[in-house]
Amino acid sequence: MRIDLGSGKQKFNHCIGIDRIAYPDTDLVHDFNSPLPFEDNSVEFVMASHSLQYADDLQSVLTELYRICRHKAMVCIVAPYAHVSSHMINPQFKQRFNEHSPRFWTPSSQTVIAKDEYLLSQNSTWSLLEEDALSIDFRVLRMEFFYFPAYQIGYDPFELALLRQTQLNVAYQIMYHLLVVKQPVSMREMLLYSETGQFDEPYYVKEQRLPPQKNEETQRLLFLDHMEPVVQYRDSLCPLPQQSEVESTHPNIRKQKNKRRGNLHKMHAHSPKEAKSYK
């Protein structure tokens, strides 16, 4: 069984559309803040596209999803990215999502996500769940960010990760693909899923990935040299591990520190006097 949680006016392919409003595509009129009327281990796919930010209690909703999902089910969540000034004060948004969110959804200390994507953290291990937290285990296999047009050209992924985690209004949306784990799963299996899995996603994200038209006069909007101490501090505390045989095949895991150094060298090439900035 496949469900679309908060399906709205257009439910996702081959899903049972669940919404508290009876739209033409709604199959089940139901508020997902209440227990879902499905049996344990009966769901193989969940789509939650721009719906979970309205959850009254996110952990309770995730616990209910975990109950109804079978082992190795897939959950796709698309949500507004937390570090946007208009999202932060939106009174309708009850939940916030960023690169650290999935760290509260699993007890596992391992992840396939590169450390650059959650660079600023006091914890070196992946999981941030408390010992007495609810019993759920969603392992993130993919985490994708959608950037405002000004940042869609002119920056490499490492620079975007720094900007996104330290400044407002860089990325506007985040998408996770989560693996439901109810039995032991190895790191190798997770890497294999992340590399070869078929990831369903909402129709609109494909259009949002289209690059903007390039303009020869396009300039980088922000000066990044001030981030060098952050990178040096992170490297000194959490040096990158030696590349393993499994990691060597995985594109999301940064393999060499000198890539960071190269990026920082590029940052030095832009004078702050020539750079524009947002207030």
Side-chain angles (χ1 to χ4, degrees):
M1 178 166 53
R2 295 161 54 93
I3 65 173
D4 186 341
L5 201 65
S7 54
K9 297 180 179 179
Q10 186 178 12
K11 67 179 179 182
F12 192 67
N13 279 345
H14 311 299
C15 285
I16 296 174
I18 304 171
D19 204 287
R20 63 181 180 179
I21 298 175
Y23 294 110
D25 274 354
T26 304
D27 299 301
L28 174 63
V29 178
H30 183 81
D31 186 345
F32 60 66
N33 290 299
S34 302
L36 296 169
F38 302 114
E39 296 181 358
D40 295 359
N41 306 309
S42 60
V43 173
E44 62 185 19
F45 175 78
V46 177
M47 172 63 70
S49 174
H50 281 274
S51 57
L52 293 184
Q53 66 266 29
Y54 302 108
D56 293 338
D57 185 337
L58 180 61
Q59 290 299 97
S60 294
V61 174
L62 290 175
T63 300
E64 186 66 1
L65 287 179
Y66 188 73
R67 176 188 69 80
I68 66 174
C69 282
R70 63 182 59 171
H71 178 55
K72 295 185 180 179
M74 190 68 65
V75 178
C76 176
I77 297 175
V78 188
Y81 187 60
H83 308 168
V84 175
S85 53
S86 60
H87 294 169
M88 297 171 70
I89 55 87
N90 189 330
Q92 294 185 327
F93 290 176
K94 302 176 183 178
Q95 308 296 331
R96 303 291 185 262
F97 297 85
N98 68 9
E99 49 279 309
H100 299 288
S101 298
R103 303 175 72 187
F104 293 92
W105 304 340
T106 178
S108 175
S109 61
Q110 295 183 317
T111 183
V112 299
I113 302 301
K115 281 190 175 181
D116 286 347
E117 299 295 356
Y118 59 105
L119 184 64
L120 302 180
S121 174
Q122 294 177 333
N123 301 73
S124 59
T125 59
W126 175 249
S127 177
L128 297 178
L129 268 183
E130 300 292 339
E131 291 183 1
D132 58 349
L134 299 173
S135 179
I136 59 176
D137 194 352
F138 295 96
R139 311 278 180 91
V140 61
L141 299 180
R142 292 178 70 221
M143 190 164 60
E144 183 174 356
F145 303 90
F146 296 81
Y147 294 92
F148 284 108
Y151 298 94
Q152 292 177 6
I153 56 175
Y155 299 90
D156 67 25
F158 180 53
E159 293 170 332
L160 287 173
L162 290 178
L163 286 167
R164 188 188 70 239
Q165 294 174 69
T166 58
Q167 300 177 180
L168 291 175
N169 305 318
V170 176
Y172 63 88
Q173 180 177 266
I174 188 169
M175 180 168 66
Y176 316 94
H177 282 91
L178 310 169
L179 183 71
V180 176
V181 175
K182 295 190 173 183
Q183 301 172 19
V185 172
S186 69
M187 182 65 173
R188 183 177 293 276
E189 285 181 278
M190 289 196 298
L191 286 168
L192 184 62
Y193 281 125
S194 67
E195 292 174 350
T196 63
Q198 298 295 318
F199 297 105
D200 287 334
E201 58 188 24
Y203 317 106
Y204 58 83
V205 301
K206 296 179 175 63
E207 297 179 358
Q208 292 176 342
R209 287 196 191 101
L210 293 177
Q213 294 183 354
K214 293 186 177 181
N215 185 338
E216 293 181 357
E217 298 180 355
T218 298
Q219 296 182 8
R220 296 156 61 94
L221 297 177
L222 294 168
F223 180 58
L224 297 173
D225 187 53
H226 68 289
M227 294 310 303
E228 182 172 4
V230 175
V231 179
Q232 292 178 343
Y233 176 72
R234 178 65 178 180
D235 284 349
S236 67
L237 289 182
C238 303
L240 291 180
Q242 294 295 319
Q243 180 180 340
S244 69
E245 179 182 351
V246 173
E247 289 174 342
S248 67
T249 65
H250 193 261
N252 288 339
I253 298 180
R254 189 172 298 274
K255 300 177 180 64
Q256 297 177 3
K257 279 188 181 180
N258 60 12
K259 289 188 177 180
R260 289 178 172 173
R261 301 305 174 208
N263 288 329
L264 291 173
H265 177 73
K266 288 166 58 180
M267 294 178 194
H268 284 299
H270 299 272
S271 169
K273 295 181 180 180
E274 298 176 355
K276 299 180 181 179
S277 65
Y278 285 138
K279 299 294 185 184

